[in-house]
Amino acid sequence: LLVRRFGASTLILGKEDIQGPFASIRPLLHVDEVYSTGAVAFRESQAMPRARAAFSGRQVGICDPSLLSSDAPPLIEGTFVPGDAPAGAQFRATIRNSGESASVTIDIDGSSKAALVLADAWYPGWKAAVDGVETPLFPVDILFRGIEIGEGAKQVVFQYRPLSLKIGAGITIGAAIVVFWAIFGLLVQRFRARRDPWRTPA
C-alpha cells in the first residue's frame, strides 16, 4: 500500500526483509531483478503517480493508520473534502525537475475541483501556492502533502520555508550589521588617530 501510494514503481528488499516484515505481501510483488548481494528489486505495476488528484476522500480529524486501505479513498486531515469527479474529467500533473529539494513545481492540465496529492513526506514548514496564491496544506493518508485546487488551476508550487529558517536568516543579518558597524567604528577611530597623532584617546 505504501509503495503504491508513494508513487514508487520499484521496491528493493534484502533477504531479511523478504523473510521478515514483508513476507506477507511477497505474493503481491513482481520480481524485476535479483542482485548478487541477495537483494531483490520488485516492480510495482499499480504504483500511483507522484502527483495525483483525489476527487473523493474521507475527512478525518486526525489520521488513524488503521483506517488506511488500498481500495478506499484517501484520508484527508482537515476541513477540505473533495467532491465526486465530474463525468469525463481528465487530470494530468507534470512535475518539473528543478533539482532543488526545497521546491517542487507542478503544472496541471484539465483540473476540476479536487485535492492535489503530492506523494512527498508531510512536514511542517512546507508552503504551497496555486497560481501564485498561497493556499493551506493538509496531510493526506498521514504521510503526504495535500492542497485544494479549483477548476482551471494551472500550477502549484511547493516550497520549504520553515519559521526556523526565517529566524536564522534574521539573526544572521543582525549579526552582520553589528559586525559591519564595529569594523566601521574601528576604521573611523584609526583614521582620526592618524590625522591627529597627538590626540589622546578619551
Side-chain angles (χ1 to χ4, degrees):
L1 173 61
L2 286 177
V3 172
R4 289 173 181 173
R5 296 208 173 184
F6 258 119
S9 59
T10 303
L11 175 66
I12 299 179
L13 300 176
K15 290 181 180 178
E16 298 79 9
D17 300 319
I18 298 170
Q19 297 170 358
F22 290 86
S24 60
I25 64 169
R26 173 62 188 87
L28 303 175
L29 303 174
H30 307 282
V31 176
D32 188 43
E33 188 173 353
V34 179
Y35 299 98
S36 59
T37 59
V40 180
F42 296 96
R43 177 175 43 83
E44 179 48 70
S45 58
Q46 298 183 42
M48 297 180 179
R50 180 182 169 198
R52 55 186 179 269
F55 293 105
S56 61
R58 294 173 290 162
Q59 183 183 7
V60 294
I62 298 177
C63 291
D64 182 354
S66 65
L67 297 176
L68 289 173
S69 172
S70 59
D71 56 357
L75 301 174
I76 296 179
E77 188 175 325
T79 59
F80 174 72
V81 178
D84 296 328
Q90 296 182 351
F91 179 87
R92 184 176 64 184
T94 305
I95 299 177
R96 294 188 190 178
N97 186 11
S98 64
E100 297 182 15
S101 59
S103 178
V104 180
T105 300
I106 304 173
D107 294 324
I108 302 171
D109 183 22
S111 67
S112 300
K113 181 180 179 181
L116 175 68
V117 181
L118 179 64
D120 288 3
W122 164 265
Y123 193 79
W126 281 95
K127 307 294 182 183
V130 179
D131 294 333
V133 179
E134 188 164 334
T135 306
L137 283 165
F138 45 81
V140 177
D141 282 340
I142 304 173
L143 299 172
F144 310 131
R145 301 175 211 152
I147 185 172
E148 178 181 354
I149 55 173
E151 186 174 355
K154 297 297 182 183
Q155 188 181 83
V156 176
V157 178
F158 293 88
Q159 289 185 318
Y160 186 58
R161 296 182 306 189
L163 181 60
S164 59
L165 189 63
K166 295 180 181 179
I167 294 174
I171 293 173
T172 301
I173 293 172
I177 292 173
V178 170
V179 170
F180 170 79
W181 280 110
I183 294 174
F184 179 76
L186 181 62
L187 291 175
V188 169
Q189 185 178 6
R190 288 188 176 181
F191 176 75
R192 288 178 177 173
R194 285 186 179 181
R195 290 187 59 185
D196 188 5
W198 303 106
R199 182 170 177 244
T200 305

